[in-house]
Amino acid sequence: KISIISLLFSIAFSSYYNVGDQMSYSHQNQNHTICYGSSDNNQDGSLSILEYNGAYNGGDYHVIMIDMSASWWGSCWQSIGTIAQIEEYFHENEHVLIFTNLDDPNQPYSCNQWGQRHEYFGSPAPLLTNDSGYTIFNWFNTGNAFPSVVFLDHTITVDYKANFTGGFNSAKNRINNLLDDCGVLCSTEPVLGCTDEGACNYDEGASDDDGSC
């Protein structure tokens, strides 16, 4: 019997956030360099969590899954297939952000090689970031070990964290539950109501005017 410990690589960093903790504004506002793919919310080659927080971006809410990997650890490389499957499933959902933060690129795998392996397993548009100093890993790791994964709800609060996703179905169900909890804020269906801000029955949650103003 192979112990799960052999699949992890532990380093001496503790996690800043635990389940139930909401990410601070200053941490959400930090930029992370995109090393593969692109972010629809930012065209300057970087990504910040704040860009995906509807409370600050004009109401465009997201639930988020972050895979934390190191280029030198085999279990991270082997888990790409599952991550890619999750990315493919939620690719069309504009309220889901999934990305990999790759630490220590080029030891031996580059960001390009990592992203291309996601594509090999079916991910249509993988998104990878790279931090110097293990920033995202320090925030969200589980057991000081690679790989780690975290799920954030639409308020950017930690819903779940672990070393592995638990498989495609587990991750899919977890993200769908977060979308359900988000409700109409994360709905892809139009929300009908009065969109005239000067009207007495103005509905700030409405996306499409229903003529009731």
Side-chain angles (χ1 to χ4, degrees):
K1 182 178 179 179
I2 300 175
S3 170
I4 189 66
I5 298 300
S6 66
L7 301 177
L8 308 175
F9 191 94
S10 181
I11 56 180
F13 294 113
S14 61
S15 174
Y16 189 91
Y17 293 105
N18 293 304
V19 172
D21 292 340
Q22 187 175 41
M23 197 176 180
S24 72
Y25 178 90
S26 61
H27 284 170
Q28 290 185 50
N29 200 32
Q30 288 191 31
N31 286 323
H32 312 280
T33 301
I34 295 174
C35 63
Y36 194 90
S38 62
S39 165
D40 291 337
N41 286 36
N42 198 325
Q43 303 302 317
D44 67 356
S46 66
L47 174 154
S48 75
I49 300 298
L50 192 68
E51 299 160 10
Y52 295 88
N53 185 344
Y56 296 99
N57 68 13
D60 186 15
Y61 287 88
H62 294 75
V63 301
I64 301 170
M65 186 189 98
I66 307 172
D67 162 50
M68 290 155 275
S69 290
S71 76
W72 38 262
W73 190 236
S75 292
C76 299
W77 181 255
Q78 292 164 10
S79 69
I80 291 176
T82 299
I83 302 297
Q85 191 177 9
I86 301 164
E87 291 169 335
E88 181 181 17
Y89 184 84
F90 287 103
H91 174 62
E92 298 295 333
N93 193 316
E94 61 188 23
H95 294 287
V96 177
L97 170 66
I98 300 171
F99 70 96
T100 291
N101 188 74
L102 183 65
D103 279 307
D104 300 328
N106 305 311
Q107 299 183 33
Y109 296 109
S110 68
C111 277
N112 280 343
Q113 289 173 310
W114 210 270
Q116 288 165 3
R117 187 162 174 85
H118 280 247
E119 292 171 344
Y120 172 81
F121 282 107
S123 177
L127 179 62
L128 277 69
T129 59
N130 167 242
D131 284 323
S132 59
Y134 290 78
T135 303
I136 291 179
F137 180 82
N138 286 342
W139 288 340
F140 299 120
N141 76 78
T142 294
N144 306 324
F146 286 110
S148 286
V149 64
V150 65
F151 295 80
L152 305 173
D153 71 12
H154 68 284
T155 68
I156 317 300
T157 297
V158 177
D159 174 74
Y160 179 78
K161 51 188 289 190
N163 290 114
F164 295 95
T165 62
F168 168 71
N169 285 329
S170 177
K172 179 187 73 172
N173 291 338
R174 189 168 298 280
I175 293 172
N176 279 331
N177 287 339
L178 291 176
L179 289 171
D180 288 343
D181 291 342
C182 184
V184 296
L185 296 176
C186 292
S187 174
T188 57
E189 298 297 323
V191 178
L192 300 179
C194 175
T195 59
D196 182 354
E197 294 185 12
C200 63
N201 63 331
Y202 168 64
D203 182 357
E204 64 179 8
S207 61
D208 288 20
D209 196 282
D210 62 357
S212 66
C213 297

